[in-house]
Amino acid sequence: MASPPPVASPPPPPPPPPTVACAVNRAAALAYEERRLTTPLPASGANVTTNDETPVATRILVDTGFDGFAPAFAAKLCAAGGTTQVTNLEQAVALVKAEGAALWRAAVDRVQRRRASPAASVLPASDDRMLYWARVAMSKELRQWAPSFALSAAQREQLHWEFERASRGQYDIDFPTGNNPAGKKYRRMIISGFDVFTLGTPGTPNTGLRNGNPSGATALEMDGREFTLPDGSTLHVQAYVLPVSYTPFLRGMQEDTLGPWFLPGPKRIDASITISQGSANRFNLEAFNGRFTGPTSGNDGIVFCPPGADRLPSFRWAIGSVTAPDTDPITDVGAGCNVTPPQRWVGYDAATRWLKDFPPQFIESSNPHAAMTTGNTQSGIVRPPGATSQGTEGFDVLWQTSFSYFPDCNAVDTVNVPTHTVFNAMPDLSTIPRPNPAWCSRNGGGGSYLSNESAYRNTLLRDTFMLDIPAGHIHIPVMNNYHSQAITGQPRNDNAITDSRYEAYRTAIVGQTKNLLVVVGNSLIFK
């Protein structure tokens, strides 16, 4: 009888991954936005009916089930035993990009109802705010990370930059090539939304902390969506979110996100639309984007254009200038009152010295405004309590042609050109004034804040690559409207993080914005 074959010994277990020591430096100075993580809503006063003093960020993150992202990230950066598997900068970059991408996908999945919320959640899937507050909480953990290997200030900044971009969906963008399964074209559209903003001073309870941004909610709702167009082609949408702070724009975050998809190739986009929150109870389709950057601070508290006599197109801050109390100093060349595009995308240096016409003072949108204003995008949209429009559904749509300018680029006096007031239709085009190339911009149709800047940079990139595509800005209605006795018969509660009126605005705004984007998609079948 033959002997049984010898039993092979099991392979030895793999060696444990290398680790290095680490610590959490709770004494590290937090960024301006991170200091809002512990700030609550007002818990007393005439307009308060509940008294929850839990920080707003915590309330939103717990309710949506996003409160675990920052602790899990912190544990990967530095485990409880004071060790980390992240042993060098390259691994740290990979980790922050992966964790940022996971946060973005989780936010998209929640909004698109593929990710469940906690059983006790009161915030609907459509809420956008968990993405912002989870990102800020994770940024705080990254700032306090102290690995035993050396990280320079520039390398730490690189880690935050990569995390920001990944968590905003900027590395998640991809498009199909060729034809759809029916043999028809893919039409590729990229859209942007914004973070929440107007959040108040860190540490001071205020109602701005509960703000959402319907443009961010739209980006999360639309990312990856496909729509069948009248000719059988497929509109494929990709989305990303932008910060409400100037420095990332100055460093080229938007161009670096859009630029690769403007280049020749099988995935080149057919439309690029920027979206932000703007006027009350109406959609504004901005005609003219201005180069000027106004005096409003960003979420980081930094102001790029000062008040008074210095508020001129050519004004630039000196490196190291502090523009507002308790904020970081200016660290980048080109920070000032005019938009400065990155040389790597436009081919000229606009940062080290001001050039009046490089880039241009005004740039025009190329969206299909006639189709968008007359497209009855209000149809089927339930108008929120207190909203007004010419019809009974949704919001009015206006091709907004206003702008203002400096007749003399070296003097503070400006001239305002108001918009026409023809809603849901196009005006007589012969009556619409246009900017004169001799002027300097003071406001585009969308003002002089980061909404206008995102529109300007987008359309500048369109012209840089000489593309004949829809590229322009949609200013969508303000969403942050809560109960009031006069409008809803319910008392105002400044301690609430949501109510039915607030939610009705988001639902209506996102729904009509989606309709407008499909109108843009329909226009592509003629190209």
Side-chain angles (χ1 to χ4, degrees), residues 213-502:
N213 194 323
S215 68
T218 300
L220 294 171
E221 168 62 28
M222 292 293 286
D223 187 50
R225 297 288 195 191
E226 292 190 341
F227 302 86
T228 300
L229 302 179
D231 66 346
S233 62
T234 298
L235 175 65
H236 183 98
V237 182
Q238 291 283 290
Y240 64 100
V241 170
L242 290 164
V244 186
S245 292
Y246 299 99
T247 301
F249 280 82
L250 179 60
R251 293 178 181 176
M253 177 181 278
Q254 187 176 9
E255 288 87 353
D256 289 346
T257 301
L258 290 176
W261 310 106
F262 279 63
L263 294 170
K267 296 184 179 183
R268 182 181 242 179
I269 56 173
D270 301 296
S272 181
I273 313 300
T274 51
I275 309 170
S276 67
Q277 181 174 244
S279 299
N281 297 316
R282 79 185 196 202
F283 282 81
N284 290 332
L285 312 178
E286 309 302 351
F288 307 111
N289 308 318
R291 186 179 165 192
F292 195 80
T293 295
T296 306
S297 64
N299 277 347
D300 59 5
I302 294 174
V303 177
F304 260 31
C305 190
D310 287 331
R311 191 180 295 172
L312 292 170
S314 60
F315 175 85
R316 301 294 180 88
W317 289 106
I319 298 296
S321 299
V322 176
T323 69
D326 300 321
T327 61
D328 291 336
I330 296 293
T331 56
D332 296 85
V333 174
C337 293
N338 258 197
V339 173
T340 303
Q343 184 174 1
R344 61 185 174 275
W345 285 109
V346 296
Y348 51 84
D349 177 13
T352 56
R353 65 191 182 99
W354 182 76
L355 303 169
K356 175 185 173 296
D357 297 315
F358 292 91
Q361 289 294 320
F362 288 98
I363 303 178
E364 191 166 349
S365 167
S366 53
N367 278 344
H369 297 120
M372 294 170 78
T373 54
T374 62
N376 194 26
T377 56
Q378 305 92 327
S379 179
I381 303 299
V382 178
R383 196 164 60 194
T388 58
S389 67
Q390 292 183 348
T392 60
E393 297 179 295
F395 304 93
D396 289 328
V397 182
L398 177 74
W399 179 49
Q400 178 156 273
T401 57
S402 63
F403 62 91
S404 62
Y405 62 93
F406 296 89
D408 180 348
C409 298
N410 298 306
V412 296
D413 296 331
T414 59
V415 175
N416 180 59
V417 178
T419 186
H420 69 90
T421 56
V422 178
F423 290 94
N424 309 313
M426 291 293 280
D428 179 350
L429 299 184
S430 68
T431 66
I432 303 302
R434 307 175 68 83
N436 186 317
W439 301 334
C440 278
S441 68
R442 173 59 181 86
N443 282 302
S448 60
Y449 197 31
L450 287 157
S451 297
N452 169 78
E453 182 159 342
S454 72
Y456 182 91
R457 289 176 181 272
N458 179 43
T459 47
L460 176 63
L461 208 57
R462 174 204 64 197
D463 292 348
T464 299
F465 285 91
M466 296 181 287
L467 297 185
D468 179 21
I469 64 171
H473 193 78
I474 304 174
H475 249 125
I476 63 183
V478 173
M479 181 179 76
N480 300 301
N481 297 287
Y482 283 78
H483 285 319
S484 68
Q485 196 74 44
I487 293 174
T488 66
Q490 300 187 55
R492 171 177 156 186
N493 182 12
D494 290 347
N495 189 245
I497 58 171
T498 191
D499 65 31
S500 59
R501 186 180 183 218
Y502 174 84

Side-chain angles (χ1 to χ4, degrees), residues 40-212:
L41 289 170
S44 62
N47 296 311
V48 170
T49 60
T50 56
N51 309 103
D52 194 334
E53 296 187 73
T54 308
V56 176
T58 302
R59 293 172 67 181
I60 291 172
L61 293 175
V62 169
D63 185 277
T64 55
F66 277 63
D67 53 321
F69 278 91
F73 183 43
K76 291 178 180 179
L77 290 170
C78 191
T83 61
T84 178
Q85 296 179 16
V86 181
T87 62
N88 55 53
L89 176 63
E90 182 179 6
Q91 291 178 355
V93 170
L95 175 66
V96 300
K97 290 178 73 173
E99 294 295 301
L103 174 61
W104 170 258
R105 290 313 319 164
V108 171
D109 286 347
R110 182 175 188 273
V111 170
Q112 296 185 12
R113 294 161 179 79
R114 292 185 295 270
R115 178 186 171 95
S117 296
S121 175
V122 300
L123 299 178
S126 56
D127 204 305
D128 63 300
R129 295 172 292 177
M130 70 287 170
L131 174 61
Y132 175 79
W133 290 112
R135 181 193 304 117
V136 175
M138 292 170 75
S139 176
K140 174 187 172 183
E141 298 297 340
L142 180 58
R143 196 171 308 280
Q144 295 180 331
W145 181 45
S148 56
F149 61 91
L151 283 175
S152 67
Q155 289 170 333
R156 285 189 173 276
E157 190 171 277
Q158 178 190 358
L159 292 176
H160 279 277
W161 181 258
E162 296 293 353
F163 173 71
E164 285 280 326
R165 293 204 61 200
S167 64
R168 297 177 178 282
Q170 296 173 9
Y171 292 143
D172 186 70
I173 298 166
D174 198 11
F175 287 99
T177 60
N179 293 332
N180 65 18
K184 300 292 186 176
K185 287 183 178 181
Y186 278 106
R187 315 282 186 175
R188 291 170 287 273
M189 175 187 288
I190 193 167
I191 69 170
S192 67
F194 269 100
D195 282 348
V196 300
F197 66 106
T198 320
L199 302 172
T201 303
T204 302
N206 71 93
T207 56
L209 288 161
R210 63 184 178 178
N211 284 352

